[in-house]
Amino acid sequence: MDRPEETGGGSGPTRGREATRARILASAKELFTNEGYGSVSSRMIASHAGVNVALINRYFGAKRGLLTEILREDGVFPGLIEGDPATLTRRLAEHAVSRLHGEGTALQRALDDSAGDPDLQAVYQGRITSAMIDPLEAYLGTDGARAHASLMAAVMLGLTRVRLVEGATALRALDRELLTDRLRVLLDLCLEDFGEPGAPEEPEGPRGTEGVGEG
Amino acid sequence: MDRPEETGGGSGPTRGREATRARILASAKELFTNEGYGSVSSRMIASHAGVNVALINRYFGAKRGLLTEILREDGVFPGLIEGDPATLTRRLAEHAVSRLHGEGTALQRALDDSAGDPDLQAVYQGRITSAMIDPLEAYLGTDGARAHASLMAAVMLGLTRVRLVEGATALRALDRELLTDRLRVLLDLCLEDFGEPGAPEEPEGPRGTEGVGEG
DNA sequence: TTTGACAGGTAAGCAGTGTTTACATGAGTC
DNA sequence: GACTCATGTAAACACTGCTTACCTGTCAAA
């Protein structure tokens, strides 16, 4: 029923459903940010929040539920997909470069580095589709938009991957504007029509096709 | 425990260092192929091989060592990077499309699906660099080759990622030749010179903004 | 005031995991 | 026979996420 005990001092109650939930959430966020996801255990979170382990599962179902809750507040590509269509790929490119350079919130960085964890995987699996590919598809609205959206997502995700796996030092050493622009062109290319099956493709970009071998 | 059947050759010893090592390795490979990596425990492998759990760690250091050993026999991109430079991107594109369609060995497919696991992550971390980016860099040999190689790796890895996370049904529904060629063009674009820092860029794609904000 | 329901909180335990330890065994050698 | 030593074994260790059975403080109805 109602919980009329909210009349505590300035810092709020330390017990009660909402207070406990909030403390767990705050502790989880802080620990994930500082230690990554995989290396933070339920018991660490509980201990940091001054709360029993079982409450994590009571209030969030599981450790993964905590992650979902934390990510729910935070859009994956906030404000990037909406906006002027003419600058979409530019904005995405800038975002990608920014993430490549380890910018963004500390939490984002930490979670990027934990991206291998099965839980993150599972949560991202839904979010990447629902917060990136789906909106891109709807945003483009064109025929076969989903394939284009998927390709763009591939480029974006691949960059994260390379950063995670190799460090991407060579890319980060590049002139930032040059890299951004190259990514923009890549993303633009993802958006171009695929053409007719069987028809020879007309190269549209500013590029000479060199590797036209048949395999 | 059960008396284990001899694996492979048919007449080898079932005990002794090499025989035991081989049995563990064969069991691991079979189980990983059928069940994925993460859901196969050390005890399952040991039990399947008719061997004590501790021997896995004795002979391979850890479960991860098993994976490393299994992958060591198998190049990530076997025979793709070597060959006619003119057809490199074409071959990589074909390979990517092939993997997108779930082709390749059963083990490759299984490991692709387990790609989230931290162990796979860690092992791939080394292998993607040493078996893909490094050779690509050396192969290209050009100035700033590593950045180009990294970009190409990003596209390749991103496709795997999208398949893992979203299924990539839209991409797989595309005409295969059209997709392959689009990927080839994308990869070619990864190889093109980045130009001079600060140099005015040539008019390429549809572009709109001058506002270069932080992402 | 007494009573009883119940949300909120807790200690302990479950079923796993990867990994390590201390010990047994069996073959080859001095 | 006694010694060495690689090989194999059983049992634990230190964790993990998660669940169970129980306690407790609050509050509304009797």
Side-chain angles (χ1 to χ4, degrees):
Chain A
M1 294 298 222
D2 292 4
R3 305 238 57 78
E5 56 182 62
E6 322 274 303
T7 59
S11 53
T14 55
R15 287 175 74 101
R17 183 180 183 84
E18 282 316 310
T20 301
R21 250 188 75 99
R23 295 236 313 287
I24 294 174
L25 215 44
S27 289
K29 203 165 176 174
E30 180 180 337
L31 288 173
F32 289 164
T33 300
N34 294 332
E35 321 266 356
Y37 178 82
S39 44
V40 172
S41 72
S42 301
R43 285 171 177 81
M44 286 171 68
I45 298 170
S47 161
H48 186 275
V51 140
N52 191 280
V53 209
L55 295 185
I56 291 178
N57 297 290
R58 178 198 286 278
Y59 288 130
F60 298 96
K63 189 188 171 190
R64 180 183 297 179
L66 262 172
L67 189 63
T68 312
E69 188 69 19
I70 287 176
L71 289 179
R72 214 169 50 80
E73 309 168 354
D74 215 17
V76 172
F77 296 104
L80 285 175
I81 292 174
E82 309 80 31
D84 183 4
T87 62
L88 170 67
T89 52
R90 172 77 195 180
R91 292 194 307 271
L92 288 176
E94 282 169 1
H95 180 82
V97 172
S98 164
R99 294 299 280 274
L100 212 56
H101 281 267
E103 294 162 10
T105 70
L107 178 64
Q108 281 173 334
R109 257 180 288 131
L111 292 185
D112 274 357
D113 290 342
S114 306
D117 193 280
D119 274 7
L120 265 154
Q121 209 73 234
V123 175
Y124 274 10
Q125 176 151 350
R127 289 198 63 77
I128 285 173
T129 303
S130 71
M132 186 176 181
I133 301 182
D134 287 349
L136 267 174
E137 179 186 16
Y139 183 82
L140 298 173
T142 58
D143 204 32
R146 188 157 193 93
H148 295 293
S150 300
L151 261 189
M152 293 179 70
V155 172
M156 300 291 287
L157 296 177
L159 286 167
T160 298
R161 213 69 196 158
V162 164
R163 176 179 174 273
L164 185 70
V165 141
E166 191 247 356
T169 44
L171 288 176
R172 286 190 281 121
L174 283 176
D175 177 82
R176 191 156 168 160
E177 182 57 31
L178 285 180
L179 177 60
T180 304
D181 205 63
R182 171 58 49 91
L183 290 180
R184 180 188 57 74
V185 179
L186 274 170
L187 292 172
D188 279 334
L189 189 49
C190 293
L191 288 180
E192 276 180 30
D193 194 30
F194 287 100
E196 289 290 310
E201 179 176 334
E202 189 75 15
E204 309 183 23
R207 34 169 343 278
T209 37
E210 47 200 31
V212 211
E214 290 286 325
Chain B
M1 71 173 57
D2 288 358
R3 175 139 292 253
E5 288 295 306
E6 299 163 3
T7 59
S11 61
T14 57
R15 289 175 72 101
R17 183 182 183 83
E18 282 316 309
T20 302
R21 249 189 76 100
R23 295 237 312 289
I24 294 174
L25 215 44
S27 289
K29 203 164 175 175
E30 180 180 337
L31 288 172
F32 289 165
T33 299
N34 294 331
E35 320 267 354
Y37 179 82
S39 45
V40 173
S41 72
S42 301
R43 284 171 180 81
M44 285 170 68
I45 298 170
S47 162
H48 186 274
V51 140
N52 191 279
V53 210
L55 295 185
I56 291 178
N57 296 290
R58 178 196 287 279
Y59 288 130
F60 299 95
K63 188 187 171 191
R64 180 184 298 180
L66 262 173
L67 189 63
T68 312
E69 190 69 19
I70 287 176
L71 289 179
R72 213 169 51 82
E73 310 167 353
D74 213 19
V76 172
F77 297 103
L80 285 175
I81 292 174
E82 309 80 31
D84 184 4
T87 62
L88 170 66
T89 53
R90 172 77 195 181
R91 293 194 307 270
L92 288 177
E94 281 169 0
H95 180 82
V97 171
S98 163
R99 292 301 280 274
L100 212 57
H101 282 267
E103 294 161 10
T105 71
L107 179 64
Q108 281 173 335
R109 258 180 286 131
L111 292 186
D112 274 358
D113 290 342
S114 307
D117 193 280
D119 274 6
L120 264 155
Q121 209 72 234
V123 174
Y124 276 10
Q125 176 150 350
R127 288 200 63 76
I128 285 173
T129 302
S130 71
M132 186 175 181
I133 302 183
D134 287 350
L136 267 175
E137 178 186 15
Y139 184 81
L140 298 174
T142 58
D143 203 32
R146 189 158 193 92
H148 295 293
S150 300
L151 261 189
M152 293 180 69
V155 173
M156 301 290 286
L157 296 177
L159 287 167
T160 296
R161 213 68 196 159
V162 164
R163 176 178 174 275
L164 186 70
V165 140
E166 191 248 355
T169 44
L171 288 177
R172 286 190 281 121
L174 283 177
D175 177 83
R176 193 159 166 157
E177 184 55 32
L178 285 180
L179 177 60
T180 304
D181 205 63
R182 170 59 49 91
L183 289 181
R184 180 188 56 74
V185 177
L186 274 170
L187 292 172
D188 278 335
L189 189 49
C190 293
L191 288 180
E192 276 182 27
D193 194 29
F194 288 101
E196 289 291 310
E201 55 190 85
E202 48 205 281
E204 299 184 4
R207 212 193 134 190
T209 7
E210 280 81 23
V212 187
E214 289 271 312

